[in-house]
């Protein structure tokens, strides 16, 4: 397993999974919306259309640990389709870490979609340990097959309103919200100013080309963020920024 060390705070030695979890547990208010992305050094959010070409072992390890710290994993439909998401099932070690931290054994899975173009027979729904939520709009087409396998939650008329989305999750006692993307959803969350934290893995790659960034879409104001933590694993940096007050 690749070593991960803490640069900020400056700690000696490599970190085990518990120490990495502690690193990401400080400063959290309630509710708390964290987003997690990986980017190349030159700002690309994908290689050949997917993020999987960017993340190395350290990124994958932290990606998994972040899922052990939340009530709900929030992902937009574009990322679910492109990255080929399966069921949100954490392994036994992750379940043990969650239970030790006072969380339910498995996180809820909430998918944001305006079109409801999601396959109800896919593993995302068919093998889900917790009935997933699909967050959508009043103008979405009716999809009884999807409604049979997921709770359909309406948050907005023609686009999902992030403020209503957070409210709907909090009403379900899902206050530790962990968003895994993608860029369009992150743009909408930023525009509504509901993002409390960005975890960003900077991967030691120069990608070039016309890959998108981690955010798509306009945001009304430039947002200042405070650096809350830095982990390092060989040439990879794992940065943690929180809302600046
Ligand atoms: N580098 C990284 O860490 C990272 C992480 C995640 C994803 N990605 C990459 O990002 C790319 C996908 O980009 P994307 O911008 O299409 O991603 P996305 O944000 O995952 O998905 C966009 C889709 O999500 C739904 N959606 C998002 N916001 C919505 C809103 N406010 N209201 C209603 N629906 C909303 C819509 O789904 P419907 O079409 O169903 O209406 C929309 O078409 C992929 O290449 C993926 O690999 C990279």
């Amino acid at each position: 397993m690749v070593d991960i060390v803490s640069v900020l705070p400056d700690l000696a030695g490599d970190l085990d999974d518990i120490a990495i979890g502690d690193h990401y547990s400080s400063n959290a208010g309630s509710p708390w919306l964290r987003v997690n992305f990986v980017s190349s050094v030159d700002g690309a959010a994908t290689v050949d259309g997917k993020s999987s070409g960017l993340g190395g072992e350290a990124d994958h390890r932290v990606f998994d640990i972040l899922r052990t710290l939340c009530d709900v994993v929030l992902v937009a439909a574009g990322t679910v389709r492109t990255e080929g998401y399966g069921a949100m099932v954490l392994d036994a070690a992750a379940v043990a870490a969650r239970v030790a931290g006072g969380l339910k054994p498995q996180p809820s899975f909430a998918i944001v979609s305006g079109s409801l173009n999601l396959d109800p027979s896919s593993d995302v729904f068919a093998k889900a340990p917790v009935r997933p939520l699909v967050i959508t709009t009043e103008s979405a087409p009716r999809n009884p097959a999807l409604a049979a396998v997921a709770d359909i939650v309406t948050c907005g008329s023609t686009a999902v309103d992030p403020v209503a989305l957070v409210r709907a999750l909090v009403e379900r006692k899902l206050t530790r919200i962990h968003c895994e993307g993608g860029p369009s959803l992150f743009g909408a969350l930023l525009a509504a100013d509901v993002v409390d934290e960005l975890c960003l893995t900077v991967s030691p790659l120069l990608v070039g080309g016309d890959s998108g960034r981690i955010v798509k879409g306009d945001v009304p104001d430039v947002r200042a963020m405070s650096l809350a933590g830095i982990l390092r694993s060989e040439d990879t940096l794992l940065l943690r920024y929180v809302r600046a007050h």
Side-chain angles (χ1 to χ4, degrees), residues 36-40 44-52 54 59 63 75-83 85 111-118 135-137 155 158-162 165 180-189 200 212-216:
N36 183 40
F37 276 93
V38 59
S39 162
S40 66
T46 57
V47 175
D48 297 331
K50 290 189 181 190
S51 64
S52 45
L54 290 171
D59 177 62
F63 183 94
V75 188
T79 293
V80 170
R81 291 188 289 256
T82 309
E83 302 278 346
Y85 268 66
I111 303 169
V112 176
S113 171
S115 70
L116 297 189
N117 176 19
L118 296 162
I135 316 286
T136 191
T137 65
C155 294
T158 55
V160 168
D161 169 7
L165 158 63
E180 295 179 352
S184 300
L185 178 59
F186 188 23
L189 298 174
L200 178 67
R213 296 160 50 211
I214 62 170
V215 183
K216 250 188 225 170

Side-chain angles (χ1 to χ4, degrees), residues 29-200:
S30 181
W32 188 262
L33 196 157
R34 161 186 284 156
V35 297
N36 183 40
F37 276 93
V38 59
S39 162
S40 66
V41 180
D42 60 337
T46 57
V47 175
D48 297 331
K50 290 189 181 190
S51 64
S52 45
L54 290 171
E57 195 180 330
D59 177 62
H60 294 155
R61 195 166 151 207
V62 168
F63 183 94
D64 288 344
I65 289 171
L66 292 178
R67 285 184 172 181
T68 70
L69 303 174
C70 66
D71 296 311
V72 57
V73 177
L74 176 68
V75 188
T79 293
V80 170
R81 291 188 289 256
T82 309
E83 302 278 346
Y85 268 66
M88 185 64 57
V89 187
L90 274 54
D91 66 17
V95 167
R98 288 180 57 83
V99 172
L103 294 169
K104 292 193 171 158
Q106 298 282 348
S108 295
F109 190 14
I111 303 169
V112 176
S113 171
S115 70
L116 297 189
N117 176 19
L118 296 162
D119 179 2
S121 66
S122 70
D123 286 354
V124 170
F125 302 103
K127 295 192 176 161
V130 179
R131 188 175 160 90
L133 303 170
V134 174
I135 316 286
T136 191
T137 65
E138 288 161 18
S139 56
R142 273 180 40 78
N143 189 334
L146 196 60
V149 293
D151 287 351
I152 311 290
V153 181
T154 302
C155 294
S157 54
T158 55
V160 168
D161 169 7
V163 173
L165 158 63
V166 171
R167 197 184 310 124
L169 295 176
V170 170
E171 278 169 9
R172 288 162 177 77
K173 302 201 184 334
L174 304 172
T175 58
R176 281 158 286 202
I177 305 165
H178 176 54
C179 178
E180 295 179 352
S184 300
L185 178 59
F186 188 23
L189 298 174
L190 273 183
D193 195 20
V194 297
V195 175
D196 297 300
E197 176 178 345
L198 168 63
C199 297
L200 178 67

